[in-house]
């Protein structure tokens, strides 16, 4: 009997091993109606997620992508957080993906991203609903409102913030800029003023940010868990605010949240509570964090490149010298005259690569350059691999704003520049981001000099961060 039991155990064990082996083989050799791009899907379920999230202490393309580009070329396959993905560093494929959105591709992000941003977030919506939300957001962030209202308010906030920072021995720049921009945008979005609120709303977003691009393990102590808790707390504040405003039928429209509530009160509303809350959450996050990271890197790059700083300072001092009243606010005409500044901003965002990947999903089997992208697979457009390609940008890691001299103005994503996305989903906050960066630079270089006190080291995981901060001391110019 014992021998029979042993045989049975061995038979079951062998069957399990064979079943696992077959499953693992099918995982690593998926069926496709054509030739899949080269690459590895890694371990079953886990894929190559650990390698993707491995930290990288440079501005260069991540080792994960760089090693695979060298081995497989500009188009390769992998698996991240349980999904099969084609990674593209090919400018032609990138452009094709953006141009065919809504036809062959649609916006898509891994399930973990969707959990973070909400299942009704604007990145997960398509067709009419996405266009409808984009039109609403452009009321706030479009050029007309920037010209009429936001430029002046931004200039005032930058000037006041810098003056406050200059009174301290040093300031951690990333945190300080984040606070400044959050206060500007949160006031326009939800009339939020930290001095008058019992809720420290930005604290929840800081917790959220630390785990946004991290390994998706939702257990206490992990960055991802902290991220999800930050979202939960921020959404609690927004939901309470919405309920109070919905109950106040006599309230006058004061901010963007009121605009959304007016849409919800229509006779046949398109806007739902879930969509409104997820939209507000995404806007509060996106409007300050990406620009703050880019500006922090920009100040670091300017400090390390005195020739660029000198040329930039000369442009802004000339603007001030042409004013009748030197203390008046920045005008739209002055902003539009900042030729070299716009080149500096393009160069900063090219090197910053705040967004390490832009995700889409194939709606059907797609043939491109001899490869098949199967229906349902993700496609990760990889901006850093294009922005730092030496065949496209000479000496790509050099901070050289003059490379943009005499180039046509970029008003959308191109094959070789996609810092603000591309296609139908070109970032609606692009103009606001450029205004914020230009205004901050104007106030900084005309009124202050600065020195680095400590920090400034960069880590990408794969998003950009300053793990030990970037502390600077400001000195008012005489």
């Amino acid at each position: 009997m014992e021998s029979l039991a042993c045989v049975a155990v061995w038979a079951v064990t062998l069957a399990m091993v064979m079943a696992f082996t077959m499953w693992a083989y099918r995982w690593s050799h998926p069926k496709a109606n054509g030739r899949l791009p080269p690459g590895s899907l890694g371990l079953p379920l886990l894929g190559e997620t650990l390698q993707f999230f491995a930290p990288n202490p440079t501005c260069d393309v991540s080792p994960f992508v760089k090693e695979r580009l060298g081995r497989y070329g500009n188009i390769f396959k992998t698996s991240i957080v349980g999904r099969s993905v084609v990674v593209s560093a090919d400018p032609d494929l990138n452009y094709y993906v953006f141009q065919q959105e809504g036809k062959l591709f649609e916006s898509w992000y891994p399930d973990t991203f969707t959990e973070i941003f909400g299942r009704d977030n604007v990145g997960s919506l398509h067709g009419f609903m996405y266009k409808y939300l984009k039109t609403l957001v452009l009321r706030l962030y479009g050029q007309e409102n920037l010209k009429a209202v936001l430029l002046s308010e931004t200039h005032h906030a930058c000037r006041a913030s810098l003056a406050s920072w200059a009174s301290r021995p040093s300031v951690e720049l990333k945190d300080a800029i984040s606070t400044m921009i959050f206060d500007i945008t949160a006031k326009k979005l939800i009339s939020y003023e930290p001095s008058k609120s019992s809720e420290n709303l930005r604290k929840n977003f800081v917790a959220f940010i630390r785990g946004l691009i991290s390994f998706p393990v939702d257990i206490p102590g992990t960055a991802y868990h902290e991220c999800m808790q930050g979202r939960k707390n921020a959404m609690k504040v927004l939901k309470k605010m919405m309920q109070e405003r919905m109950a106040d039928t006599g309230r006058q429209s004061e901010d963007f949240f009121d605009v959304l509530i007016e849409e919800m009160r229509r006779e046949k509303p398109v806007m739902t509570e879930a969509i409104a809350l997820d939209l507000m959450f995404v806007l509060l996050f996106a409007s300050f964090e990406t620009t703050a990271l880019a500006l922090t890197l920009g100040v670091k790059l300017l400090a390390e490149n005195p020739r660029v700083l000198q040329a930039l300072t000369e442009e802004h001092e000339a603007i001030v010298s042409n004013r009748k009243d030197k203390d008046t606010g920045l005008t739209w005409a002055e902003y539009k005259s900042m030729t070299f500044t716009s080149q500096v901003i393009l160069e900063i965002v090219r090197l910053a690569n705040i967004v390490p990947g832009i995700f889409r999903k194939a709606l059907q089997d797609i043939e491109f350059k001899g490869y098949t992208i199967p229906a349902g697979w993700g496609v990760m457009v990889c901006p850093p691999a294009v922005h730092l390609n030496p065949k496209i940008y000479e000496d790509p890691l050099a901070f050289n704003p003059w490379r943009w001299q005499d180039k046509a103005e970029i008003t959308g994503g191109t094959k070789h520049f996609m810092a603000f996305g591309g296609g139908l989903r070109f970032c609606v906050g692009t103009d606001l981001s450029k205004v914020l960066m230009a205004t901050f630079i104007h106030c900084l270089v005309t009124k202050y000099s600065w020195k680095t006190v400590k920090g400034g080291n960069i880590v990408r995981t794969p998003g950009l961060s300053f793990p030990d901060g970037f502390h600077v001391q400001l000195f008012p110019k005489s």
Side-chain angles (χ1 to χ4, degrees), residues 356-370:
I358 301 170
F359 290 87
R360 298 291 185 266
K361 182 170 68 175
L363 296 176
Q364 62 187 58
D365 286 355
I366 295 161
E367 299 289 330
F368 195 89
K369 291 190 176 181

Side-chain angles (χ1 to χ4, degrees), residues 110-382:
D111 291 343
T112 49
F113 283 58
T114 304
E115 289 297 327
I116 292 169
F117 283 117
R119 297 203 170 274
D120 291 295
N121 80 82
V122 66
S124 299
L125 300 174
H126 312 287
F128 166 77
M129 181 56 75
Y130 172 74
K131 292 176 182 177
Y132 163 72
L133 293 182
K134 184 176 180 179
T135 300
L136 288 178
V137 175
L138 282 173
R139 289 191 202 174
L140 178 65
Y141 291 158
Q143 284 209 10
E144 288 305 310
N145 202 37
L146 284 171
K147 185 177 180 179
V149 179
L150 286 174
L151 177 65
S152 173
E153 292 180 353
T154 299
H155 184 254
H156 175 77
C158 288
R159 194 158 52 181
S161 295
L162 284 162
S164 171
W165 304 343
S167 66
R168 308 179 202 170
S170 70
V171 61
E172 201 289 286
L173 199 61
K174 162 60 176 55
D175 184 67
I177 295 176
S178 291
T179 300
M180 178 190 76
I181 299 178
F182 184 84
D183 290 350
I184 294 170
T185 55
K187 186 174 182 180
K188 304 303 294 185
L189 289 167
I190 58 175
S191 299
Y192 176 78
E193 295 189 39
S195 61
K196 299 178 182 178
S197 175
S198 59
E199 297 282 354
N200 186 346
L201 187 56
R202 183 178 167 270
K203 179 183 70 176
N204 296 319
F205 280 91
V206 170
F208 170 81
I209 289 155
R210 277 197 288 267
L212 176 60
I213 305 180
S214 61
F215 193 76
V217 178
D218 192 8
I219 58 175
T222 64
Y224 184 77
H225 177 77
E226 188 178 0
C227 172
M228 294 304 295
Q229 289 300 113
R231 170 181 167 80
K232 180 180 177 181
N233 293 334
M235 290 296 282
K236 190 183 297 182
V237 174
L238 292 175
K239 190 162 188 174
K240 180 183 176 185
M241 189 179 294
M242 172 178 280
Q243 291 169 343
E244 290 172 351
R245 294 191 185 194
M246 288 292 287
D248 185 2
T249 55
R251 178 183 169 87
Q252 297 296 310
S253 182
E254 297 179 5
D255 54 37
F256 188 68
F257 212 176
D258 288 327
V259 171
L260 298 188
I261 288 171
E262 286 174 9
E263 292 294 311
M264 291 170 61
R265 285 177 172 153
R266 287 181 180 272
E267 186 176 343
K268 294 182 179 180
V270 175
M271 181 70 62
T272 67
E273 178 180 311
I275 291 173
L277 288 171
D278 279 347
L279 178 61
M280 293 306 304
F281 181 84
V282 169
L283 289 176
L284 281 166
F285 164 72
S287 59
F288 83 94
E289 178 61 13
T290 54
T291 305
L293 280 167
L295 268 175
T296 303
L297 180 64
V299 173
K300 172 181 163 66
L301 290 169
L302 289 173
E304 295 169 350
N305 294 270
R307 179 168 168 255
V308 178
L309 179 57
Q310 178 62 32
L312 191 64
T313 302
E314 288 173 0
E315 176 170 90
H316 286 272
E317 287 181 343
I319 288 172
V320 174
S321 67
N322 286 329
R323 293 176 185 159
K324 291 181 180 179
D325 182 351
K326 308 301 182 189
D327 290 325
T328 57
L330 193 63
T331 68
W332 189 254
E334 288 173 342
Y335 165 67
K336 297 300 286 184
S337 75
M338 297 175 183
T339 305
F340 187 65
T341 304
S342 66
Q343 295 170 206
V344 169
I345 290 171
L346 288 175
E347 188 70 346
I348 289 171
V349 296
R350 180 187 71 84
L351 286 169
N353 288 305
I354 302 299
V355 178
I358 301 170
F359 290 87
R360 298 291 185 266
K361 182 170 68 175
L363 296 176
Q364 62 187 58
D365 286 355
I366 295 161
E367 299 289 330
F368 195 89
K369 291 190 176 181
Y371 297 127
T372 294
I373 303 173
W377 276 43
V379 178
M380 188 182 92
V381 171
C382 186

